[in-house]
Amino acid sequence: MKKKMAVVTDSNSGITQAQAREMGIYVLPMPFVINGNTYYEDITLSQPEFYAQLKQNENISTSQPSVGDILDLWDQLLEEYETVLHIPMSSGLSGSCATAKMLAMDYEDQVYVVDNQRISVTQRQSVLDALHLSEQGMETAEIAQKLEDTRRESSIYIMLDTLYYLKKGGRVTPAVAAIATVLKLKPVLQIQGDKLDAFSKARSEKIARTVMIDAMKKDMETRFGGMENARDRMAIQIAHTNNEASALEFREEVAKVFPDHDIYVDHLSLSVSCHIGPGSLALACAVKL
């Protein structure tokens, strides 16, 4: 007898292959092309190896899982499971979601691709939500719909240590990057739904941390039902790019504002790190379903 539902996500969720085995889910590794050679996150490319290459200013570009890899995984899982729930990274940040949606058209009532515009720790929360809802007896189609209906119920703020990598990728002008470097500004970006946008500029990391905490408090009050309900309704997370010591220190600051929360700390996905560089800090939250 087949099992009910397999949950698939990609390595942009921050979930490692080892963690996936413990959770009983499946993670598609994101491909990276470095100096013409293809590597796969957490398979043939580790976090330290990636940052070593980034530091050496190697030519690194991101890609999406191949059609063959996606179909092979789905076909394999459907031999063991009745349905597959696939939770890729946000459609606004990559074409991998649109590709999976198109492929799923040939798997009617078997594969459900969720476009709920999540990335990193909020994407991971969607995986946890899916597992929980399945345990509660919800059908795969209902879970997919629930995740998409709540796509706006998350928030991410990211402090960059440098604009160098955004400049390198053509996302800011060299002049803007130079001014930010001279003034030692720490840009704070936001992800609200499907886009990465500018949010604020801070004169130091300390100020940037305060900006992110204040923004999260405002979101709690205006979007997520108030601070008094936050402990039961919200998952709070911190993510970083090769900046764990600062992330753990930041967790202590966040814990003072959001006491009694189990604040999860993880690496930002390498796909994001490739564009923003090392040294960043992110504060995120998502409604727990």
Side-chain angles (χ1 to χ4, degrees):
M1 183 176 179
K2 289 186 176 181
K3 300 175 187 176
K4 180 181 174 183
M5 181 185 79
V7 175
V8 175
T9 189
D10 56 49
S11 56
N12 285 300
S13 64
I15 300 173
T16 66
Q17 297 295 326
Q19 290 170 337
R21 288 189 289 271
E22 292 176 4
M23 297 167 69
I25 68 161
Y26 303 87
V27 172
L28 275 167
M30 297 301 292
F32 291 80
V33 179
I34 304 177
N35 295 330
N37 297 312
T38 300
Y39 300 85
Y40 294 90
E41 185 169 359
D42 198 36
I43 301 291
T44 56
L45 182 66
S46 68
Q47 291 266 339
E49 289 167 342
F50 170 83
Y51 284 109
Q53 299 275 15
L54 199 65
K55 187 176 182 180
Q56 293 171 18
N57 205 28
E58 302 290 1
N59 185 19
I60 303 175
S61 61
T62 57
S63 185
Q64 55 178 287
S66 71
V67 168
D69 287 345
I70 296 170
L71 296 181
D72 286 348
L73 178 58
W74 288 355
D75 290 341
Q76 175 189 335
L77 291 176
L78 288 171
E79 293 179 2
E80 186 179 352
Y81 296 86
E82 294 177 0
T83 58
V84 172
L85 183 75
H86 188 113
I87 309 173
M89 72 181 291
S90 170
S91 61
L93 301 173
S94 169
S96 57
C97 182
T99 298
K101 282 271 192 184
M102 179 188 67
L103 296 174
M105 293 174 67
D106 291 333
Y107 291 81
E108 188 176 0
D109 298 328
Q110 289 184 298
V111 176
Y112 298 83
V113 177
V114 175
D115 182 9
N116 70 334
Q117 300 173 350
R118 301 291 180 90
I119 183 71
S120 185
V121 285
T122 61
Q123 185 181 354
R124 174 183 177 273
Q125 183 59 43
S126 292
V127 171
L128 297 176
D129 290 336
L131 292 172
H132 174 71
L133 293 173
S134 180
E135 289 171 359
Q136 301 304 307
M138 190 175 286
E139 296 297 324
T140 307
E142 295 177 285
I143 296 172
Q145 190 62 54
K146 181 73 171 176
L147 292 177
E148 292 200 346
D149 288 346
T150 55
R151 69 180 65 194
R152 296 289 178 181
E153 296 189 1
S154 70
S155 184
I156 304 178
Y157 296 94
I158 308 172
M159 178 212 77
L160 273 57
D161 187 53
T162 175
L163 282 175
Y164 171 79
Y165 295 93
L166 285 181
K167 180 194 74 172
K168 185 178 178 182
R171 287 169 172 80
V172 296
T173 66
V176 169
I179 291 170
T181 300
V182 170
L183 297 179
K184 297 183 179 180
L185 296 177
K186 300 294 183 185
V188 177
L189 311 180
Q190 62 178 332
I191 300 177
Q192 308 290 349
D194 61 344
K195 293 182 179 180
L196 179 66
D197 293 315
F199 178 73
S200 182
K201 300 183 185 73
R203 285 297 185 96
S204 68
E205 180 175 324
K206 181 179 179 181
I207 295 173
R209 291 183 187 187
T210 300
V211 166
M212 291 191 289
I213 291 173
D214 288 346
M216 192 63 68
K217 284 171 61 179
K218 183 178 180 180
D219 284 346
M220 293 292 185
E221 291 291 358
T222 60
R223 297 175 56 200
F224 302 127
M227 289 286 286
E228 65 277 6
N229 299 317
R231 185 173 66 86
D232 295 327
R233 297 189 69 242
M234 305 300 299
I236 298 178
Q237 308 108 337
I238 291 170
H240 64 92
T241 56
N242 203 33
N243 197 21
E244 187 172 24
S246 290
L248 294 176
E249 185 179 277
F250 187 35
R251 179 169 64 179
E252 299 304 313
E253 297 176 37
V254 175
K256 292 176 182 177
V257 180
F258 301 100
D260 303 320
H261 276 270
D262 182 15
I263 301 169
Y264 180 75
V265 177
D266 201 357
H267 295 85
L268 271 167
S269 70
L270 296 184
S271 293
V272 176
S273 308
C274 187
H275 298 296
I276 66 175
S280 70
L281 282 177
L283 180 59
C285 71
V287 172
K288 295 185 287 187
L289 301 183

